[in-house]
Amino acid sequence: MQSYVLVISLLFLLMVAAVFWWVVRHSTADASGAGAGGSVESYRGGLFWGLVALGLVVAALTLRPWPYDVAASDGATTVTATGNQWSWEIVPQELPAGRPVIFKVTSNDVNHGFGVYDADGTMLFQTQAMPGYVNQVRYTFTKPGKYRVLCLEYCGLVHHDMIEEINVK
Ligand code: CUA
């Protein structure tokens, strides 16, 4: 999945680079003042709004499974996760599979990153753990098993050891 995303990203970067190259190539021709400016201008305008529309469509499609929308709490289990230098306090640590879980994430000291990984080491979701704020993430574990919580924000000397386990049954 990640290599697939990388290839797509590289293709898009290549397209952006091609557009830049095209603009650089043609901007000198326009500066010489020899006509045809109007059609190039309208072409650029069309290209611009076309890209804006494409961006909106891509954003709408890819953000649909947005995990931060926790408004509908249809019988979801609520979990509090608190970051401390250097451990996680997660209550409860045993969670149900196949039912939505709402994580309420905060910190007692500095900023931490709350990242949840499956047994294969694939990140499932993450949010910031910030002192004075409660960030919420909604997630449904599809498979039972052991999941790991890692800290994703450098938070001091023992940041690397801020690891906790979640048991999904
Ligand atoms: Cu907590 Cu890094």
Side-chain angles (χ1 to χ4, degrees):
M1 179 66 182
Q2 269 143 341
S3 53
Y4 182 67
V5 171
L6 176 67
V7 169
I8 290 176
S9 303
L10 288 175
L11 284 175
F12 273 106
L13 282 174
L14 208 65
M15 280 165 59
V16 171
V19 169
F20 270 83
W21 179 80
W22 186 90
V23 169
V24 168
R25 285 275 302 186
H26 289 75
S27 59
T28 37
D30 291 342
S32 71
S39 68
V40 170
E41 290 296 306
S42 71
Y43 173 72
R44 280 183 186 171
L47 188 66
F48 174 77
W49 290 112
L51 286 174
V52 168
L54 179 69
L56 285 174
V57 169
V58 168
L61 290 178
T62 56
L63 292 180
R64 258 171 10 122
W66 187 241
Y68 303 103
D69 175 23
V70 294
S73 52
D74 39 9
T77 305
T78 301
V79 180
T80 59
T82 310
N84 299 285
Q85 283 170 313
W86 290 274
S87 63
W88 291 107
E89 240 174 87
I90 301 171
V91 184
Q93 260 173 288
E94 285 203 356
L95 299 173
R99 290 223 315 271
V101 175
I102 294 173
F103 289 87
K104 293 176 182 273
V105 181
T106 188
S107 167
N108 278 334
D109 37 46
V110 299
N111 270 29
H112 301 275
F114 182 81
V116 177
Y117 291 76
D118 68 9
D120 298 328
T122 302
M123 184 199 275
L124 303 174
F125 63 91
Q126 66 92 29
T127 191
Q128 283 277 304
M130 302 154 74
Y133 293 87
V134 177
N135 288 324
Q136 301 191 89
V137 190
R138 180 192 173 92
Y139 188 78
T140 302
F141 294 96
T142 52
K143 281 182 273 177
K146 306 261 188 213
Y147 293 78
R148 289 209 309 166
V149 175
L150 304 187
C151 184
L152 302 179
E153 180 84 39
Y154 182 72
C155 56
L157 211 59
V158 198
H159 155 75
H160 63 276
D161 206 28
M162 236 180 117
I163 303 169
E164 194 50 80
E165 208 170 67
I166 293 174
N167 202 358
V168 175
K169 294 193 163 172

